Amino acid sequence: MDSNAIKILLEKYWEGTTSLEEETQLRIYFNGDQVADEFKSFQPLFQFFQLEKEQELPEDFTERVVDNLPEQKPARVYNLRWGMRIAAAIALIIALAFVIRPYLNEQPETEIVASEAGEITDAEEAYEELKMALALVSNKFSKGTDKAQTGIVSIRKATKVIK
Amino acid sequence: MTPLQNKLYRFSLRIVGNTAEAEDVVQEVLIKMWKKRTELSAYKNLEAWCMTLTRNLSIDKLRSKHRRTSELQDGLQVVDKSVTPFQHAAYQDTLERVRRLMAELPEKQRMVMQLRDIEGMTYQEIAEALSISMEQVKVNLFRARKQIRAKLINSESYGL
């Protein structure tokens, strides 16, 4: 590459208007052995860029990272243990629920029977109670039929009018 | 060895200025990636994500180091291990000088220059990695190059 082209590229470079390809051209030029004297003062810069580009991580870096990874394992085991504990606790609660459930259902029933039995002691009283209850029901029933009858009468009247 | 890993390494190295710490940073980034491996596909630009993470971790590291060293001993010279013995042979004094010139640049200018001139990234990629606008990328790159150029010419004229 002639020095005039380099001069133009360099000017563009200082202005910050070079493309990546042009910057690569400059780097290649300055890392060659035919650098014109007028540009010599800028040669170290592009040599530096080239050298820096070649700087890499040590060969065994990835191995070392992988070696350091197992430190996470204990944490994972710990988490698993917690999971197992939680699962065991849930299983225990479910098992307990199954065992307790029959008792839970029985207890209220026995309580009700007990309280009713406590209120009504002799047969006479129980009979009276039953009669009252039945009377209440039959009363409601007859009220219902009365209502229905008046309803039917009014419907008949209405149908007669329509006819 | 993936190229991205080395790119992150060089980027971190430019910030922390120490190979051991730069390696630590890259390791942390890789572990974070591993932990988030199921979500990674959701990120539009994985490389920019990694770059941002690397930058943040490196800056954190640098700040904690500054705090530590200033607590221990003021003015303590932090041993710079960013150059391996092999490279040291390859480094000429002039290259060492450029390295120092670049290290003297303000943080943003230095990072932009690193990503452009060493990593060969586009303005768009740099903007995403550094979470700044394209205009900011161009301005910072322009200023960085201008300053480096002035110092190179200056040291030349003084015969340093």
Side-chain angles (χ1 to χ4, degrees):
Chain A
M1 194 175 276
D2 68 290
S3 58
N4 208 37
I6 291 299
K7 194 173 187 161
I8 292 164
L9 274 187
L10 256 183
E11 280 311 312
K12 276 181 81 180
Y13 176 80
W14 301 125
E15 288 299 315
T17 53
T18 35
S19 67
L20 283 170
E21 293 80 56
E22 288 169 331
E23 285 163 22
T24 306
Q25 282 176 21
L26 280 172
R27 210 176 57 246
I28 291 167
Y29 172 81
F30 280 105
N31 279 281
D33 44 14
Q34 288 174 327
V35 179
D37 282 347
E38 55 178 317
F39 309 129
K40 275 269 197 263
S41 52
F42 304 126
Q43 193 174 14
L45 182 63
F46 294 93
Q47 285 176 329
F48 171 78
F49 290 156
Q50 183 60 39
L51 211 67
E52 283 298 302
K53 258 183 170 327
E54 289 160 10
Q55 183 131 348
E56 289 186 351
L57 282 158
E59 290 280 326
D60 64 338
F61 177 77
T62 311
E63 283 166 43
R64 271 193 283 143
V65 173
V66 174
D67 285 347
N68 285 342
L69 278 176
E71 279 173 27
Q72 282 177 284
K73 266 189 182 168
R76 213 174 264 176
V77 170
Y78 190 67
N79 284 340
L80 198 76
R81 257 185 221 156
W82 266 106
M84 290 298 280
R85 279 181 201 174
I86 291 162
I90 290 167
L92 197 67
I93 288 164
I94 291 167
L96 265 173
F98 270 102
V99 172
I100 287 169
R101 201 162 68 163
Y103 297 103
L104 282 175
N105 287 342
E106 266 173 34
Q107 266 178 339
E109 276 178 10
T110 53
E111 261 172 37
I112 291 162
V113 169
S115 68
E116 277 175 352
E119 274 172 22
I120 301 161
T121 41
D122 63 359
E124 195 83 9
E125 204 184 329
Y127 177 66
E128 286 302 316
E129 194 87 3
L130 184 67
K131 253 170 77 179
M132 269 169 69
L134 288 174
L136 187 76
V137 173
S138 67
N139 192 26
K140 295 274 178 200
F141 263 121
S142 46
K143 259 192 188 171
T145 47
D146 285 351
K147 281 261 171 71
Q149 216 142 29
T150 53
I152 289 162
V153 170
S154 60
I155 289 166
R156 279 190 186 142
K157 275 182 188 168
T159 46
K160 270 181 189 170
V161 172
I162 291 162
K163 277 178 183 174
Chain B
M1 192 83 70
T2 62
L4 177 63
Q5 220 164 286
N6 286 315
K7 200 167 174 177
L8 299 177
Y9 172 63
R10 287 188 293 262
F11 186 38
S12 177
L13 194 55
R14 187 69 42 223
I15 300 169
V16 298
N18 173 312
T19 51
E21 283 181 321
E23 282 172 32
D24 281 354
V25 168
V26 178
Q27 177 167 326
E28 273 180 68
V29 173
L30 294 181
I31 289 169
K32 280 225 163 83
M33 279 175 81
W34 170 253
K35 282 182 182 163
K36 292 198 168 199
R37 62 195 178 280
T38 51
E39 307 162 33
L40 286 181
S41 55
Y43 291 101
K44 269 186 284 173
N45 192 338
L46 191 59
E47 194 176 312
W49 182 80
C50 290
M51 281 293 196
T52 309
L53 188 59
T54 304
R55 184 195 57 172
N56 292 340
L57 290 175
S58 302
I59 291 170
D60 284 350
K61 196 138 233 159
L62 193 67
R63 282 187 189 141
S64 70
K65 185 168 79 176
H66 279 322
R67 217 175 297 133
R68 276 204 315 274
T69 50
S70 61
E71 274 170 13
L72 283 170
Q73 201 178 336
D74 271 317
L76 176 78
Q77 193 71 42
V78 180
V79 181
D80 190 350
K81 294 177 196 153
S82 68
V83 185
T84 63
F86 170 76
Q87 277 178 319
H88 206 89
Y91 257 107
Q92 296 156 12
D93 282 350
T94 44
L95 291 188
E96 182 56 32
R97 203 184 70 225
V98 175
R99 203 178 64 76
R100 274 206 307 273
L101 286 182
M102 200 167 160
E104 282 167 14
L105 290 173
E107 188 179 288
K108 208 162 267 178
Q109 290 181 24
R110 191 173 69 236
M111 287 195 284
V112 171
M113 192 172 207
Q114 163 84 18
L115 296 183
R116 178 69 183 193
D117 285 328
I118 297 170
E119 302 305 340
M121 285 164 70
T122 65
Y123 292 148
Q124 178 72 45
E125 285 168 339
I126 298 168
E128 280 173 31
L130 300 181
S131 316
I132 55 175
S133 69
M134 288 256 280
E135 208 44 52
Q136 281 285 301
V137 173
K138 287 177 194 170
V139 167
N140 278 291
L141 186 65
F142 174 75
R143 286 183 187 156
R145 285 176 179 173
K146 194 176 157 191
Q147 188 164 336
I148 295 277
R149 182 194 187 207
K151 291 201 170 164
L152 284 173
I153 291 170
N154 206 17
S155 57
E156 181 77 5
S157 63
Y158 284 105
L160 292 170

